[in-house]
Amino acid sequence: MSVTAILNEKGRQVFTVDPHSLVRAAVRLLHENRIGAIVVVKPGDRIAGILTERDVVAAMDKYGAACLDKPVSALMWSKVHSCTEEMSIHDIMEIMNSMRARHLPVEKNGRLVGIVSIGDAVRHHIRAIESEAEHIKAYIAGQDGKTVHL
């Protein structure tokens, strides 16, 4: 299963902000939409960075409430790990694990076209395993419903 399958099921909507937006506005988007990350984009849907709940918590610890009036660019992670639609769930899970990233923006020709989370990847991975188990059970049971003895 590929990233395309995830995006086709969940949709391609991505909440974004401009690098000059205030953290306060980004926090509002995170909260109102019950999401864990916002992609920071430059003109033309080019990825500039990503801002996560963890980034906001770290900034609150470091700067206090004053961090809310800083531009998103001051807190965002600019070394964004991304993926493509053609990548498999296994591929993105490896990236997420090795880079300790919970969200991967999806790029096509350098433009943002979606986002996948670790929850999306795990959900689809489990679904694939369950489907494979059902196929194996059906194979063992045989086409006519009789059990195949090995």
Side-chain angles (χ1 to χ4, degrees):
M1 186 174 287
S2 68
V3 170
T4 299
I6 294 174
L7 295 178
N8 286 344
E9 182 179 307
K10 78 174 226 166
R12 295 172 182 270
Q13 181 180 24
V14 183
F15 292 96
T16 63
V17 293
D18 179 273
H20 305 292
S21 297
L22 294 181
V23 171
R24 177 180 311 281
V27 167
R28 188 173 304 113
L29 277 175
L30 288 167
H31 175 70
E32 288 174 353
N33 295 287
R34 302 175 59 115
I35 55 176
I38 293 180
V39 181
V40 184
V41 294
K42 299 180 277 189
D45 289 330
R46 304 283 181 195
I47 299 170
I50 192 165
L51 181 75
T52 70
E53 294 169 315
R54 285 182 171 195
D55 298 326
V56 174
V57 169
M60 290 291 291
D61 180 52
K62 187 173 182 177
Y63 304 111
C67 76
L68 296 173
D69 295 317
K70 290 184 175 291
V72 169
S73 60
L75 305 183
M76 72 181 190
W77 181 256
S78 59
K79 295 180 182 177
V80 181
H81 304 288
S82 62
C83 64
T84 65
E85 292 184 76
E86 295 76 25
M87 294 175 100
S88 71
I89 291 176
H90 177 74
D91 292 337
I92 65 170
M93 289 179 81
E94 280 188 16
I95 293 170
M96 289 176 168
N97 187 43
S98 66
M99 301 301 173
R100 298 184 56 103
R102 293 180 179 201
H103 301 87
L104 290 180
V106 183
E107 283 186 297
K108 184 174 186 175
N109 299 323
R111 296 186 152 195
L112 178 66
V113 296
I115 191 166
V116 290
S117 70
I118 190 68
D120 298 328
V122 169
R123 193 170 25 264
H124 280 79
H125 186 67
I126 289 170
R127 193 175 304 149
I129 291 169
E130 288 172 344
S131 176
E132 184 178 347
E134 289 302 315
H135 281 52
I136 291 170
K137 287 178 191 176
Y139 175 77
I140 291 171
Q143 291 182 351
D144 60 4
K146 296 179 183 175
T147 302
V148 175
H149 298 282
L150 303 176

